[in-house]
């Protein structure tokens, strides 16, 4: 194998590695977090992402309603809360009785239940237009007896921002055989609301996402704090339901959370260096090859003339031989 072939092979392998790596990053379902208009820097909430990294502070000169607060840095393993509103914060909790003034460890602020419950009016629907992931919606989660041993009244509701819930619905359908359904607007203060505070069985992502069921009524919901352990017991069929466990496990592992700021991995650096170096060496090799060919053409002509004679004389001799042969063939054909 020639050096040029080796370099071509290296370039091909590097290109495939780069393409594979890039498609993995860019095709990953993501939700954007925009906190400033002074530049195009933004953070990403990754579906199935690991989270972590450094937290970010919302600049004070952005007119953002939560300027000065921090967000991000929470890890995937910290995503689960409890049935108590305000649970699930890995950092930033100074008062267990209120959510007002808290940071956003996973990139999005908590849900809103109305009546300024635990000081959460500052996260109300008036900010849905800028909430990461869009306005708060709800979606029913049901399945069939073909996949799980469920009763007709075993139904759950997921409540959270629209984009996160739409992405999560794909995982619900894939892994838990949830019957496909589209989200509807979540209005917790309505008397006809399907999901109420006392129906929540599990909070996720610093109380910005909830799993609920109308079959559950937590009598302590309105009087609890972030660390309350006093809750009404779940009905037996819900407590031991494989369908509920599947939904909770998928939510724990797939719900979009703020990711670490993107860092170039050593593999991507190696791929980039190999591509640039390979193309440079290949270009230089081709240039040298072309230059040598151009320079050696006169030498080749002189050698050919010296060894085999003048090409013009050789061509004339060959033509004379062909003409003489044709004359001989005519004589033989017509005696």
């Amino acid at each position: 194998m020639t050096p040029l072939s080796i370099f071509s092979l290296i370039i091909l392998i590097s290109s495939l590695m780069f393409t594979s790596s890039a498609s993995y990053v860019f095709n990953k379902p993501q939700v954007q977090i925009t906190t400033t208009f002074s530049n195009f820097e933004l953070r990403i909430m990754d579906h199935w992402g690991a989270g972590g990294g450094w937290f970010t502070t919302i600049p004070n000169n952005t007119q953002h309603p939560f300027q000065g607060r921090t967000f991000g840095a929470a890890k995937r393993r910290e995503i689960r809360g409890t049935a108590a509103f305000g649970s699930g914060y890995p950092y930033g909790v100074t008062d267990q009785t209120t959510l007002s003034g808290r940071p956003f460890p996973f990139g999005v602020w908590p849900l809103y239940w109305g009546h300024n419950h635990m000081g959460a009016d500052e996260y109300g629907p008036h900010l849905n237009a800028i909430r990461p992931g869009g306005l708060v919606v709800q979606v029913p989660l049901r399945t069939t007896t073909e996949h799980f041993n469920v009763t007709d009244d075993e139904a759950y509701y997921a409540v959270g921002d629209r984009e996160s819930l739409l992405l999560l619905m794909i995982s619900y359908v894939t892994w838990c055989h949830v019957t496909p359904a589209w989200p509807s607007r979540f209005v917790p203060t309505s008397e006809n609301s399907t999901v109420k505070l006392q129906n929540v069985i599990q909070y996720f992502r610093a109380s910005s996402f909830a799993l609920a069921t109308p079959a559950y009524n937590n009598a302590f919901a309105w009087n609890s704090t972030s660390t309350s352990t006093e809750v009404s017991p779940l009905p037996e069929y819900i407590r031991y339901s494989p369908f509920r466990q599947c939904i909770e496990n998928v939510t724990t592992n797939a719900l979009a959370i703020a990711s670490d700021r993107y860092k170039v991995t050593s593999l991507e650096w190696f791929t980039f260096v190999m591509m640039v170096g390979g193309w440079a060496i290949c270009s230089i090799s081709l240039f040298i090859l072309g230059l040598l060919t151009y320079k050696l053409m006169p030498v080749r002509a002189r050698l050919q003339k010296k060894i085999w004679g003048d090409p013009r004389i050789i061509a004339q001799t060959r033509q004379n031989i062909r003409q003489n042969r044709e004359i001989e063939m005519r004589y033989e054909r017509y005696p």
Side-chain angles (χ1 to χ4, degrees), residues 19-30 46 262-263 268:
T19 303
S20 176
S21 174
S23 62
Y24 171 77
V25 173
F26 297 132
N27 289 341
K28 192 173 185 179
Q30 297 175 331
D46 272 330
Y262 182 72
K263 297 178 181 179
E268 291 171 332

Side-chain angles (χ1 to χ4, degrees), residues 31 45 85 108-113 123 128 131-141 157-169 172 182-188 195 200 202-212 251 255-256:
V31 177
M45 292 168 59
F85 185 51
V108 60
W109 47 87
L111 298 174
Y112 160 82
W113 293 100
Y123 309 117
N128 273 345
R131 174 184 283 269
L135 77 164
V136 179
V137 295
Q138 64 184 34
V139 64
L141 305 176
Y157 284 83
V159 181
D161 63 276
R162 183 189 64 247
E163 294 302 314
S164 294
L165 197 46
L166 285 173
L167 294 175
L168 198 56
M169 195 64 183
Y172 285 150
W182 292 97
S184 59
R185 186 180 178 187
F186 176 62
V187 187
V195 180
V200 175
Q202 181 72 55
Y203 283 101
F204 300 87
R205 202 177 61 180
S207 295
S208 64
F209 194 93
L211 182 64
T251 305
L255 181 60

Side-chain angles (χ1 to χ4, degrees), residues 91-277:
Y91 69 84
V93 178
T94 57
D95 187 349
Q96 303 291 346
T97 64
T98 180
L99 275 71
S100 178
R102 291 190 185 184
F104 315 127
F106 296 95
V108 60
W109 47 87
L111 298 174
Y112 160 82
W113 293 100
H115 312 293
N116 199 29
H117 178 56
M118 295 186 67
D121 268 11
E122 65 176 353
Y123 309 117
H126 63 288
L127 294 180
N128 273 345
I130 63 171
R131 174 184 283 269
L135 77 164
V136 179
V137 295
Q138 64 184 34
V139 64
L141 305 176
R142 297 184 176 88
T143 189
T144 61
T145 55
E146 179 183 355
H147 302 288
F148 292 96
N149 184 20
V150 294
T151 59
D152 293 338
D153 59 343
E154 185 175 352
Y156 304 94
Y157 284 83
V159 181
D161 63 276
R162 183 189 64 247
E163 294 302 314
S164 294
L165 197 46
L166 285 173
L167 294 175
L168 198 56
M169 195 64 183
I170 298 173
S171 298
Y172 285 150
V173 173
T174 301
W175 297 102
C176 299
H177 306 286
V178 167
T179 303
W182 292 97
S184 59
R185 186 180 178 187
F186 176 62
V187 187
T189 56
S190 172
E191 294 183 358
N192 299 322
S193 177
T194 307
V195 180
K196 303 182 184 302
L197 177 69
Q198 57 268 28
N199 300 142
V200 175
I201 61 177
Q202 181 72 55
Y203 283 101
F204 300 87
R205 202 177 61 180
S207 295
S208 64
F209 194 93
L211 182 64
T213 174
Y216 175 62
N217 184 25
N218 182 10
F220 304 94
W222 287 100
N223 299 313
S224 65
T225 64
S226 299
T227 56
S228 293
T229 56
E230 191 175 20
V231 294
S232 300
L234 290 171
E236 291 293 311
Y237 74 93
I238 294 178
R239 181 181 178 185
Y240 298 105
S241 169
F243 180 49
R244 178 191 64 81
Q245 293 172 2
C246 181
I247 292 173
E248 288 193 3
N249 288 337
V250 169
T251 305
T252 300
N253 289 286
L255 181 60
I257 61 174
S259 65
D260 190 7
R261 291 180 176 177
Y262 182 72
K263 297 178 181 179
V264 179
T265 64
S266 56
L267 175 62
E268 291 171 332
W269 270 118
F270 173 77
T271 302
F272 175 76
V273 171
M274 291 298 293
M275 286 186 65
V276 174

